[in-house]
Amino acid sequence: AQSVTQLDSQVPVFEEAPVELRCNYSSSVSVYLFWYVQYPNQGLQLLLKYLSGSTLVKGINGFEAEFNKSQTSFHLRKPSVHISDTAEYFCAVSVVAAGNKLTFGGGTRVLVKP
Amino acid sequence: NAGVTQTPKFQVLKTGQSMTLQCAQDMNHEYMSWYRQDPGMGLRLIHYSVGAGITDQGEVPNGYNVSRSTTEDFPLRLLSAAPSQTSVYFCASSQTRDSISNQPQHFGDGTRLSIL
């Protein structure tokens, strides 16, 4: 079975400051990795995904994530946040060639302060 | 293009009542799924379907039934609601078949369900 751990449940950050959201996963088989964002009272939207190739993945809204196989991590970063980045962020994995079932981490709430 | 539509948006039930949460998508996606979201636990998969007539259980299927008679619709049924089923429920769809697992999922806006 797979598991995903998001190491911070809440991250307060000032506007225009950088932010990093940490995600570690555990799996005995190969996985794909995803970050989703959930704005208040909305569903989840895909930020970015890692399937293969370059370990640095760029997504929407200026976010990027780096896959580190040896540390089984997939941390999300943004160099300068905006008020509009206030949301909950979820890291998720799916097992390669085993269907599109996602296993989610517990989520990280990002609160951007002016 | 509506995407994934969930109804109702909010519902309050009494213990033991039954209800159906509706989910419809207009993207001709084969794969559809239901998740529940609880604080600190992320989203957990309840049931999923890889196409019309095919459903399977996810991580937390107990107390829920599903069916998939058409490509567009994937309703979730609570036969006898319990307080432990108080949660936010999300339906998702993706353009994937069978074992392909790298397609992004499109989520509805959720149904907030309270069971008293």
Side-chain angles (χ1 to χ4, degrees):
Chain A
Q2 297 66 240
S3 66
V4 179
T5 302
Q6 293 183 238
L7 299 167
D8 305 293
S9 59
Q10 295 187 62
V11 174
V13 58
F14 286 105
E15 193 173 17
E16 298 183 6
V19 70
E20 179 180 78
L21 308 184
R22 297 178 292 168
C23 172
N24 287 94
Y25 69 94
S26 173
S27 178
S28 58
V29 296
S30 296
V31 296
Y32 297 124
L33 297 134
F34 304 84
W35 275 99
Y36 282 85
V37 60
Q38 182 182 31
Y39 299 105
N41 299 314
Q42 294 185 25
L44 280 69
Q45 303 173 31
L46 181 69
L47 269 180
L48 48 81
K49 60 182 179 180
Y50 174 78
L51 305 182
S52 64
S54 173
T55 58
L56 184 63
V57 180
K58 294 191 182 299
I60 62 171
N61 300 340
F63 284 93
E64 64 181 29
E66 186 156 19
F67 171 58
N68 187 318
K69 188 173 182 179
S70 63
Q71 297 185 8
T72 60
S73 67
F74 190 52
H75 301 335
L76 180 71
R77 301 185 185 94
K78 186 170 183 178
S80 176
V81 297
H82 303 289
I83 296 289
S84 59
D85 292 321
T86 294
E88 188 158 20
Y89 294 79
F90 292 95
C91 182
V93 302
S94 64
V95 174
V96 173
N100 211 19
K101 302 181 290 291
L102 289 171
T103 300
F104 285 89
T108 299
R109 290 189 180 274
V110 173
L111 175 60
V112 181
K113 303 177 180 180
Chain B
N1 212 356
V4 178
T5 302
Q6 291 184 237
T7 56
K9 294 189 184 303
F10 303 93
Q11 185 70 49
V12 178
L13 292 178
K14 294 181 179 179
T15 298
Q17 287 185 316
S18 63
M19 87 160 289
T20 299
L21 309 186
Q22 302 292 344
C23 175
Q25 52 91 9
D26 61 359
M27 297 172 283
N28 202 31
H29 286 169
E30 293 287 345
Y31 185 93
M32 295 185 74
S33 54
W34 278 102
Y35 291 86
R36 59 176 289 173
Q37 182 181 20
D38 301 292
M41 303 185 72
L43 281 76
R44 292 178 291 167
L45 182 64
I46 305 171
H47 285 284
Y48 65 98
S49 169
V50 299
I54 306 169
T55 64
D56 206 345
Q57 296 181 352
E59 180 185 354
V60 289
N62 293 341
Y64 308 95
N65 282 350
V66 292
S67 59
R68 184 94 179 271
S69 57
T70 67
T71 298
E72 294 77 21
D73 300 298
F74 190 44
L76 178 72
R77 297 184 187 85
L78 285 70
L79 298 179
S80 179
S84 61
Q85 294 177 305
T86 293
S87 188
V88 182
Y89 291 85
F90 288 97
C91 179
S93 73
S94 63
Q95 193 175 19
T96 188
R97 290 190 64 89
D98 301 325
S99 64
I100 304 299
S101 54
N102 60 13
Q103 298 300 306
Q105 300 208 25
H106 301 258
F107 285 82
D109 286 341
T111 294
R112 284 150 184 80
L113 182 61
S114 293
I115 313 234
L116 306 178

